[in-house]
Amino acid sequence: MTQKDITFVADFLTEHFNEAPELYNRKGKYFNVERVGQYLKDEDDDLVSPPNTEGNQWFNFLKNSTHLKESPLLFPYYPEKSLHFVKRQMEGVIDQCLQKPADIIGKSVHQAVCMSLYKTSQSEDSTPQLFKLPFLWNDKTSNIHYVLFTMLENSISKIHILRRHTDTSRSVSNGILAVDFGNFLNSSINESSDSRCYSCLDAHFYDDETVTVVLKESMEQEGKERVLAQLPLS
């Protein structure tokens, strides 16, 4: 805080929170916070004590700026109104700005493909979360969208890669495939398939040709390994 801020707070406390022992036994308020509370009232009425903007650096800057003074990019200031009034005004402007793009984008979106990943019970309360880690990547060189995700339950050791061409009329080979990390880190083929089994904690694209994954050893034991692996898409 600057010294000016401290002085302002001190002056406010001095002016509005003077001791009034004769009022201490009276129920309700015995000090004046109207100059603060007026900003928080959800009313369209003018403020009881409008702020003094004289000497305000921002207002002086706007007043002396030919280009900013009438700029439509600056939200208008209402010195006589509460924050609730200003908030409603701003929400109205934002809603108006977003409505047209929402209409245009909404009309341009359509379903390109539908894939059934799993089936759940009719009861939503008992439906487990089976879809995890959705990560999106757009390869601008090949014009291909990628989605990385994992499926829980019986396939925790697999990561799925979904590929779609940005031109929905074109298809790509291996539109969806799964990579199994089960025991691929075993140092020899003689090791038991259950001795070193890994599941995927997280996965992101590192670049257009490489996927980075964080793997966890699945065995219930102390000192479970964490492995950071980078895999080429090829």
Side-chain angles (χ1 to χ4, degrees), residues 10-26:
D11 290 343
F12 176 82
L13 294 177
T14 302
E15 180 179 353
H16 293 286
F17 289 84
N18 292 328
E19 290 189 16
E22 69 278 5
L23 301 177
Y24 284 172
N25 293 326
R26 182 188 301 178

Side-chain angles (χ1 to χ4, degrees), residues 36-154:
V36 174
Q38 63 179 348
Y39 290 103
L40 306 178
K41 292 180 179 178
D42 191 4
E43 299 173 355
D44 290 340
D45 297 338
D46 291 348
L47 297 178
V48 177
S49 305
N52 179 15
T53 59
E54 184 179 351
N56 184 291
Q57 295 176 344
W58 173 249
F59 290 115
N60 291 340
F61 171 69
L62 292 182
K63 193 182 301 181
N64 297 325
S65 173
T66 307
H67 299 290
L68 290 178
K69 189 183 301 183
E70 303 297 331
S71 173
L73 300 178
L74 290 177
F75 195 80
Y77 176 58
Y78 303 94
E80 306 289 334
K81 298 296 184 180
S82 73
L83 292 178
H84 277 283
F85 176 86
V86 176
K87 175 176 176 285
R88 283 199 303 273
Q89 293 290 109
M90 182 175 289
E91 286 175 340
V93 172
I94 293 174
D95 288 343
Q96 186 177 1
C97 290
L98 296 179
Q99 187 57 48
K100 190 70 174 178
D103 292 341
I104 299 299
I105 295 172
K107 292 175 182 177
S108 67
V109 173
H110 63 277
Q111 178 177 298
V113 65
C114 179
M115 294 183 180
S116 178
L117 296 178
Y118 58 84
K119 294 185 181 296
T120 62
S121 63
Q122 294 295 324
S123 173
E124 294 183 1
D125 296 336
S126 61
T127 301
Q129 180 190 0
L130 298 178
F131 190 73
K132 193 180 177 188
L133 299 179
F135 178 77
L136 309 179
W137 181 265
N138 177 230
D139 183 349
K140 293 181 175 60
T141 305
S142 304
N143 294 324
I144 293 180
H145 283 307
Y146 288 91
V147 183
L148 295 179
F149 62 93
T150 57
M151 302 287 289
L152 304 182
E153 298 292 310
N154 297 326

Side-chain angles (χ1 to χ4, degrees), residues 177-195:
L177 54 84
V179 180
D180 193 340
F181 299 110
N183 56 1
F184 83 112
L185 290 178
N186 291 352
S187 58
S188 74
I189 59 174
N190 296 325
E191 288 191 35
S192 168
S193 60
D194 296 330
S195 61

